[in-house]
PDB file of all heavy atoms in Angstrom:
ATOM      1  N   ARG M 244      -6.771  17.054  -0.943  1.00 91.00           N
ATOM      2  CA  ARG M 244      -7.019  18.028  -1.904  1.00 91.00           C
ATOM      3  C   ARG M 244      -8.434  17.799  -2.388  1.00 91.00           C
ATOM      4  O   ARG M 244      -9.309  18.759  -2.558  1.00 91.00           O
ATOM      5  CB  ARG M 244      -5.978  18.023  -3.008  1.00 91.00           C
ATOM      6  CG  ARG M 244      -6.027  19.247  -3.894  1.00 91.00           C
ATOM      7  CD  ARG M 244      -4.700  19.265  -4.728  1.00 91.00           C
ATOM      8  NE  ARG M 244      -4.494  20.589  -5.373  1.00 91.00           N
ATOM      9  CZ  ARG M 244      -3.250  20.960  -5.914  1.00 91.00           C
ATOM     10  NH1 ARG M 244      -2.317  20.061  -5.792  1.00 91.00           N
ATOM     11  NH2 ARG M 244      -3.221  22.112  -6.488  1.00 91.00           N
ATOM     12  N   GLU M 245      -8.719  16.543  -2.696  1.00 89.00           N
ATOM     13  CA  GLU M 245     -10.089  16.214  -3.288  1.00 89.00           C
ATOM     14  C   GLU M 245     -11.189  16.444  -2.161  1.00 89.00           C
ATOM     15  O   GLU M 245     -12.292  16.877  -2.593  1.00 89.00           O
ATOM     16  CB  GLU M 245     -10.061  14.688  -3.614  1.00 89.00           C
ATOM     17  CG  GLU M 245      -9.253  14.481  -4.992  1.00 89.00           C
ATOM     18  CD  GLU M 245      -9.115  12.992  -5.215  1.00 89.00           C
ATOM     19  OE1 GLU M 245      -9.656  12.127  -4.459  1.00 89.00           O
ATOM     20  OE2 GLU M 245      -8.593  12.607  -6.394  1.00 89.00           O
ATOM     21  N   ALA M 246     -10.808  16.308  -0.947  1.00 90.00           N
ATOM     22  CA  ALA M 246     -11.833  16.566   0.146  1.00 90.00           C
ATOM     23  C   ALA M 246     -11.791  18.058   0.501  1.00 90.00           C
ATOM     24  O   ALA M 246     -12.585  18.466   1.339  1.00 90.00           O
ATOM     25  CB  ALA M 246     -11.469  15.704   1.331  1.00 90.00           C
ATOM     26  N   ARG M 247     -10.907  18.823  -0.048  1.00 89.00           N
ATOM     27  CA  ARG M 247     -10.742  20.274   0.167  1.00 89.00           C
ATOM     28  C   ARG M 247     -10.641  20.560   1.676  1.00 89.00           C
ATOM     29  O   ARG M 247     -11.328  21.383   2.305  1.00 89.00           O
ATOM     30  CB  ARG M 247     -12.083  20.988  -0.323  1.00 89.00           C
ATOM     31  CG  ARG M 247     -12.039  21.034  -1.885  1.00 89.00           C
ATOM     32  CD  ARG M 247     -12.971  21.990  -2.467  1.00 89.00           C
ATOM     33  NE  ARG M 247     -12.930  22.060  -3.962  1.00 89.00           N
ATOM     34  CZ  ARG M 247     -12.043  22.746  -4.582  1.00 89.00           C
ATOM     35  NH1 ARG M 247     -11.114  23.495  -3.965  1.00 89.00           N
ATOM     36  NH2 ARG M 247     -11.983  22.680  -5.941  1.00 89.00           N
ATOM     37  N   ARG M 248      -9.688  19.830   2.310  1.00 91.00           N
ATOM     38  CA  ARG M 248      -9.386  20.025   3.697  1.00 91.00           C
ATOM     39  C   ARG M 248      -8.290  21.119   3.876  1.00 91.00           C
ATOM     40  O   ARG M 248      -7.420  21.230   3.077  1.00 91.00           O
ATOM     41  CB  ARG M 248      -8.874  18.761   4.322  1.00 91.00           C
ATOM     42  CG  ARG M 248      -9.805  17.627   4.345  1.00 91.00           C
ATOM     43  CD  ARG M 248      -9.289  16.465   5.160  1.00 91.00           C
ATOM     44  NE  ARG M 248      -9.938  15.165   4.909  1.00 91.00           N
ATOM     45  CZ  ARG M 248      -9.506  14.168   4.250  1.00 91.00           C
ATOM     46  NH1 ARG M 248      -8.240  14.233   3.827  1.00 91.00           N
ATOM     47  NH2 ARG M 248     -10.207  13.153   4.104  1.00 91.00           N
ATOM     48  N   GLY M 249      -8.486  21.849   4.927  1.00 88.00           N
ATOM     49  CA  GLY M 249      -7.365  22.812   5.384  1.00 88.00           C
ATOM     50  C   GLY M 249      -7.192  23.770   4.249  1.00 88.00           C
ATOM     51  O   GLY M 249      -7.983  24.561   3.714  1.00 88.00           O
ATOM     52  N   LEU M 250      -5.832  23.883   3.889  1.00 86.00           N
ATOM     53  CA  LEU M 250      -5.368  24.978   2.932  1.00 86.00           C
ATOM     54  C   LEU M 250      -5.914  24.682   1.597  1.00 86.00           C
ATOM     55  O   LEU M 250      -5.864  25.512   0.698  1.00 86.00           O
ATOM     56  CB  LEU M 250      -3.996  24.935   2.961  1.00 86.00           C
ATOM     57  CG  LEU M 250      -3.135  23.809   2.612  1.00 86.00           C
ATOM     58  CD1 LEU M 250      -2.930  23.501   1.134  1.00 86.00           C
ATOM     59  CD2 LEU M 250      -1.667  24.009   3.239  1.00 86.00           C
ATOM     60  N   TRP M 251      -6.607  23.456   1.314  1.00 88.00           N
ATOM     61  CA  TRP M 251      -7.198  23.276  -0.018  1.00 88.00           C
ATOM     62  C   TRP M 251      -8.548  23.708  -0.058  1.00 88.00           C
ATOM     63  O   TRP M 251      -9.228  23.555  -1.107  1.00 88.00           O
ATOM     64  CB  TRP M 251      -7.137  21.727  -0.375  1.00 88.00           C
ATOM     65  CG  TRP M 251      -5.761  21.220  -0.202  1.00 88.00           C
ATOM     66  CD1 TRP M 251      -5.333  20.254   0.659  1.00 88.00           C
ATOM     67  CD2 TRP M 251      -4.628  21.509  -1.014  1.00 88.00           C
ATOM     68  NE1 TRP M 251      -4.028  19.931   0.398  1.00 88.00           N
ATOM     69  CE2 TRP M 251      -3.527  20.673  -0.512  1.00 88.00           C
ATOM     70  CE3 TRP M 251      -4.354  22.289  -2.094  1.00 88.00           C
ATOM     71  CZ2 TRP M 251      -2.257  20.737  -1.138  1.00 88.00           C
ATOM     72  CZ3 TRP M 251      -3.103  22.401  -2.673  1.00 88.00           C
ATOM     73  CH2 TRP M 251      -2.070  21.541  -2.214  1.00 88.00           C
ATOM     74  N   ALA M 252      -9.219  24.158   1.032  1.00 83.00           N
ATOM     75  CA  ALA M 252     -10.691  24.465   1.097  1.00 83.00           C
ATOM     76  C   ALA M 252     -11.119  25.451   0.091  1.00 83.00           C
ATOM     77  O   ALA M 252     -12.101  25.362  -0.573  1.00 83.00           O
ATOM     78  CB  ALA M 252     -10.942  25.004   2.482  1.00 83.00           C
ATOM     79  N   ASP M 253     -10.300  26.498  -0.167  1.00 67.00           N
ATOM     80  CA  ASP M 253     -10.646  27.536  -1.115  1.00 67.00           C
ATOM     81  C   ASP M 253      -9.658  27.643  -2.361  1.00 67.00           C
ATOM     82  O   ASP M 253      -9.381  28.614  -2.875  1.00 67.00           O
ATOM     83  CB  ASP M 253     -10.657  28.940  -0.476  1.00 67.00           C
ATOM     84  CG  ASP M 253     -11.723  29.003   0.645  1.00 67.00           C
ATOM     85  OD1 ASP M 253     -12.796  28.599   0.488  1.00 67.00           O
ATOM     86  OD2 ASP M 253     -11.333  29.567   1.735  1.00 67.00           O
ATOM     87  N   GLU M 254      -9.202  26.400  -2.679  1.00 56.00           N
ATOM     88  CA  GLU M 254      -8.181  26.262  -3.756  1.00 56.00           C
ATOM     89  C   GLU M 254      -8.692  26.769  -5.081  1.00 56.00           C
ATOM     90  O   GLU M 254      -9.750  26.555  -5.452  1.00 56.00           O
ATOM     91  CB  GLU M 254      -7.696  24.806  -3.919  1.00 56.00           C
ATOM     92  CG  GLU M 254      -6.642  24.564  -5.047  1.00 56.00           C
ATOM     93  CD  GLU M 254      -6.490  23.101  -5.293  1.00 56.00           C
ATOM     94  OE1 GLU M 254      -7.400  22.353  -4.990  1.00 56.00           O
ATOM     95  OE2 GLU M 254      -5.369  22.840  -5.897  1.00 56.00           O
ATOM     96  N   LYS M 255      -7.904  27.496  -5.718  1.00 50.00           N
ATOM     97  CA  LYS M 255      -8.162  27.946  -7.163  1.00 50.00           C
ATOM     98  C   LYS M 255      -7.146  27.183  -7.938  1.00 50.00           C
ATOM     99  O   LYS M 255      -6.004  27.290  -7.979  1.00 50.00           O
ATOM    100  CB  LYS M 255      -7.829  29.449  -7.325  1.00 50.00           C
ATOM    101  CG  LYS M 255      -8.762  30.288  -6.482  1.00 50.00           C
ATOM    102  CD  LYS M 255      -8.350  31.743  -6.687  1.00 50.00           C
ATOM    103  CE  LYS M 255      -9.347  32.691  -5.925  1.00 50.00           C
ATOM    104  NZ  LYS M 255      -9.291  32.538  -4.470  1.00 50.00           N
ATOM    105  N   THR M 256      -7.775  26.168  -8.758  1.00 46.00           N
ATOM    106  CA  THR M 256      -6.854  25.237  -9.490  1.00 46.00           C
ATOM    107  C   THR M 256      -6.257  25.954 -10.744  1.00 46.00           C
ATOM    108  O   THR M 256      -5.262  25.472 -11.241  1.00 46.00           O
ATOM    109  CB  THR M 256      -7.625  24.108  -9.905  1.00 46.00           C
ATOM    110  OG1 THR M 256      -8.678  24.523 -10.848  1.00 46.00           O
ATOM    111  CG2 THR M 256      -8.269  23.281  -8.777  1.00 46.00           C
ATOM    112  N   GLY M 257      -6.888  27.104 -11.311  1.00 48.00           N
ATOM    113  CA  GLY M 257      -6.248  27.695 -12.382  1.00 48.00           C
ATOM    114  C   GLY M 257      -6.583  27.150 -13.772  1.00 48.00           C
ATOM    115  O   GLY M 257      -7.070  27.860 -14.629  1.00 48.00           O
TER     116      GLY M 257
END
Side-chain angles (χ1 to χ4, degrees):
R244 198 166 194 164
E245 290 175 351
R247 294 194 175 276
R248 295 191 196 107
L250 56 82
W251 307 114
D253 298 316
E254 180 190 23
K255 298 178 176 64
T256 58

